[in-house]
Amino acid sequence: MSTPTLPTGLVITGKLAPRYDEILTPEALAFVAELQRNFNATRLALLEARATRQARFDAGELPDFLAETQGIRDAEWSIAPLPQDLLDRRVEITGPVDRKMIVNALNSGAKVFMADFEDASSPFWSNMIEGQINLKDRWAGAIDFHDPSNGKDYKLGETPAVLIIRPRGWHLPEAHVEVDGAPVSGALFDFGLYAFHNAKAALAQGSGPYFYLPKTESHLEARLWNEVFSFAEARIGLPANCIKATVLIETLPAVFEMDEILYELRDHVAGLNIGRWDYIFSFIKRLGKNARFLTPDRGRMVMSEAFLKAYGALLVKTCHRRGAFAMGGMAAQIPVKGDAAANTAAFAKVQADKEREAGEGCDGTWVAHPDLVKVAQEVFDRLMPTPNQLQRKRQDVSVARDDLLVMHQGARTEAGLRENIRVGVQYIEAWLRGRGAVPLYNLMEDAATAEISRAQIWQWIYLGATLEDGRTVTGDLFTALLDDEMAKLRETLGPDVYDKGRFPEAIKLFSDMTLAPQFEEFLTLPAYKLIA
């Protein structure tokens, strides 16, 4: 491709490839530069506010509802009306933005497809730009393609799922584009390019520019998104308040500000989502130095108990009071090939989980594989005959601050420690090769699982946790188990496969972060330096 004409102060360091010029147009890049110049300073200040709050948590402070926003929580108000195609979201499928995934997900029978630039995508420059090309092709009616690797033709069906985009979180940079000498915000880059190229086309086809917002920690971060949306609508020439966003409540601080987050985004918000896996990670990250919150094996932390149960119930109640949708969490199970009994058991787990969500009042749920769409849909069709459950106000729910801090009970085991090591390292290795959604042990894993894995081991070492067999978790024990697990993995995969991967880098990164004296905010930040 030819080198695009760049706006003043903007530099692209990423390699250019065919069709990149359709996305990296001078006009689109100028819009991204405007977003960066108008909103990046506030973004950086909000990230610094996270660090300041963390210092207070490390000193023993506990999260709580904000006294200064009591009036918002007490007042009666509702979010703005929602467009027709967002009123029934009973099953949503999520996945990365590669072309085959997009077509298969849009054709899966799910009501919504969340195309993910965040936890299910490794942020290789090529992944990010080709994902934008694929989504632009969707709205241009040009997403159909032939895959020479398997000889199959992929064509968009007549009733595709509603498309929602998840940009990267506020903390992540896009290192391949600089504005005024600094890397552009990954969130503003992903949002800006998609909105600029596709918002008008989506509206013309009866849908709209819809987004999922990850890793939000405060209502001030939600306020920043609202300002970005209003600015974009004015600059691109869109109808006011046509951008609609669903916010993932996947951080511990955010659960104490759900009313306020909805209020800040009230003209642009569609609902909140129960981001259970990242929520566990955030809980450990924010309170991990406090011995009161020493976690059991991560498999023991389930949505029907302790702080996860309280968080889910409060989210449904908060959303429905404000006329917003409460979206359930991910079913990470995938079909188990060659083992009918195990496959039946996996599908039964999904069914039970979705029955719990529908019973608690969720308006829909997530799955990671097309084969799970029918399982989840059957549950919601049976238990939610209406398009949503906004009429269920859940006034029977009463959740106080301490309910949101009730620790899950259970043992800490060597098996749990080993599982964290196996999953964490293998996910990172795949991520370093450009894959963000990775099937491991019959589950579709994304970055959240690796984050939980390394966070939990870090916490156990920091607090000197005792395993079920009486041993203390130390750095030496972790290192010994890591060496053993990697030797077993090399034997299982075969030396040829293992040695061609990026395991040395993945092992070092996982080990360094787990043994670090201070907890690193996100695994993906140092990992990004290895691929950027």
Side-chain angles (χ1 to χ4, degrees):
M1 62 167 279
S2 59
T3 302
T5 302
L6 301 180
T8 302
L10 188 144
V11 175
I12 296 176
T13 60
K15 182 180 178 181
L16 302 180
R19 298 196 64 194
Y20 281 30
D21 55 349
E22 297 177 32
I23 299 300
L24 302 173
T25 65
E27 297 80 9
L29 291 172
F31 177 61
V32 169
E34 274 195 286
L35 293 175
Q36 178 78 355
R37 288 171 177 142
N38 278 277
F39 301 108
N40 193 54
T42 303
R43 178 184 76 92
L44 294 176
L46 290 170
L47 293 178
E48 185 60 33
R50 290 184 185 179
T52 301
R53 178 184 268 184
Q54 183 60 44
R56 300 200 305 269
F57 291 154
D58 289 345
E61 181 179 310
L62 297 178
D64 203 348
F65 299 98
L66 303 179
E68 62 267 30
T69 55
Q70 182 73 46
I72 291 173
R73 295 194 299 277
D74 290 345
E76 294 301 324
W77 51 267
S78 298
I79 68 167
L82 294 172
Q84 185 66 35
D85 64 341
L86 288 180
L87 297 182
D88 186 341
R89 300 170 60 177
R90 63 190 59 224
V91 182
E92 301 189 341
I93 188 169
T94 75
V97 290
D98 64 88
R99 203 168 185 88
K100 188 193 302 186
M101 176 68 202
I102 290 173
V103 177
N104 285 341
L106 290 172
N107 290 341
S108 67
K111 292 290 186 180
V112 169
F113 167 47
M114 187 194 78
D116 192 9
F117 285 93
E118 202 229 9
D119 272 4
S121 288
S122 175
F124 273 53
W125 172 245
S126 56
N127 287 347
M128 299 296 95
I129 302 303
E130 287 166 19
Q132 293 281 355
I133 292 171
N134 295 334
L135 294 172
K136 188 170 185 287
D137 283 350
R138 182 268 174 268
W139 292 114
I143 191 69
D144 299 353
F145 74 104
H146 176 78
D147 187 347
S149 68
N150 59 20
K152 292 183 179 180
D153 292 310
Y154 293 83
K155 298 181 181 299
L156 192 64
E158 294 183 2
T159 56
V162 174
L163 184 59
I164 302 182
I165 308 304
R166 178 158 72 168
R168 281 169 280 186
W170 282 133
H171 61 291
L172 292 168
E174 175 45 70
H176 302 89
V177 177
E178 295 180 359
V179 173
D180 302 331
V184 72
S185 157
L188 296 176
F189 183 78
D190 298 340
F191 163 79
L193 290 180
Y194 179 80
F196 185 88
H197 288 298
N198 303 294
K200 290 182 178 178
L203 287 165
Q205 295 175 51
S207 190
Y210 304 148
F211 298 90
Y212 255 109
L213 306 180
K215 306 294 188 291
T216 300
E217 296 224 357
S218 73
H219 70 285
L220 297 180
E221 294 181 18
R223 179 183 296 173
L224 178 59
W225 269 119
N226 196 68
E227 292 170 354
V228 169
F229 293 160
S230 294
F231 179 90
E233 287 165 346
R235 273 291 187 273
I236 298 174
L238 305 174
N241 305 327
C242 70
I243 295 174
K244 297 298 179 184
T246 304
V247 182
L248 290 118
I249 301 300
E250 55 185 356
T251 68
L252 179 62
V255 81
F256 292 93
E257 299 184 36
M258 290 191 291
D259 272 305
E260 295 90 332
I261 288 168
L262 288 172
Y263 184 79
E264 294 292 346
L265 282 160
R266 60 194 179 277
D267 290 330
H268 289 115
V269 79
L272 305 178
N273 173 279
I274 300 172
R276 66 174 88 176
W277 308 119
D278 267 300
Y279 191 80
I280 295 172
F281 162 56
S282 178
F283 196 102
I284 299 172
K285 174 166 60 175
R286 295 298 172 228
L287 301 180
K289 292 184 177 181
N290 189 326
R292 171 181 165 185
F293 302 108
L294 180 61
T295 54
D297 283 359
R298 62 183 173 91
R300 300 292 187 101
M301 292 186 282
V302 296
M303 288 299 301
S304 58
E305 298 175 7
F307 69 76
L308 288 175
K309 180 178 181 180
Y311 140 71
L314 182 60
L315 186 146
V316 173
K317 180 179 183 179
T318 303
C319 283
H320 287 184
R321 182 185 177 197
R322 306 306 184 184
F325 294 133
M327 303 306 301
M330 170 67 80
Q333 287 81 4
I334 57 178
V336 183
K337 296 180 179 179
D339 189 335
N343 192 63
T344 299
F347 278 41
K349 281 186 177 181
V350 175
Q351 182 181 41
D353 186 53
K354 301 315 170 189
E355 287 176 343
R356 176 191 56 78
E357 289 179 329
E360 291 179 354
C362 288
D363 301 290
T365 190
W366 276 17
V367 298
H369 193 280
D371 287 357
L372 273 302
V373 170
K374 288 185 178 179
V375 178
Q377 183 164 327
E378 184 280 325
V379 171
F380 273 84
D381 286 350
R382 171 164 44 89
L383 299 179
M384 191 180 78
T386 51
N388 52 66
Q389 301 196 76
L390 290 180
Q391 73 281 2
R392 293 187 61 189
K393 302 302 182 184
R394 292 309 312 269
Q395 293 175 341
D396 57 306
V397 170
S398 178
V399 174
R401 191 276 294 272
D402 288 347
D403 298 317
L404 293 165
L405 300 177
V406 174
M407 197 60 229
H408 288 254
Q409 299 301 305
R412 285 166 290 279
T413 67
E414 180 182 316
L417 189 52
R418 285 179 177 273
E419 182 182 15
N420 282 339
I421 292 169
R422 280 196 307 274
V423 172
V425 172
Q426 286 184 86
Y427 179 84
I428 294 170
E429 192 276 335
W431 194 93
L432 293 175
R433 288 187 287 107
R435 296 183 62 196
V438 184
L440 294 171
Y441 309 108
N442 302 319
L443 297 174
M444 186 63 74
E445 305 288 14
D446 67 10
T449 304
E451 293 282 31
I452 296 171
S453 297
R454 62 98 181 181
Q456 183 163 67
I457 301 174
W458 185 94
Q459 184 199 39
W460 288 5
I461 294 172
Y462 181 87
L463 294 175
T466 302
L467 294 180
E468 188 177 44
D469 60 15
R471 285 178 296 165
T472 299
V473 182
T474 64
D476 288 343
L477 176 61
F478 160 72
T479 300
L481 295 181
L482 173 64
D483 291 344
D484 187 54
E485 284 295 326
M486 293 304 102
K488 290 177 179 177
L489 182 62
R490 187 172 186 268
E491 182 178 349
T492 299
L493 296 178
D496 289 344
V497 173
Y498 185 93
D499 294 344
K500 289 178 181 177
R502 298 187 69 170
F503 282 100
E505 295 162 284
I507 292 167
K508 185 178 187 305
L509 180 61
F510 190 79
S511 180
D512 287 349
M513 297 192 75
T514 301
L515 297 174
Q518 292 299 319
F519 190 83
E520 179 78 39
E521 272 283 285
F522 290 98
L523 164 69
T524 45
L525 289 171
Y528 188 48
K529 295 177 181 178
L530 299 176
I531 65 172

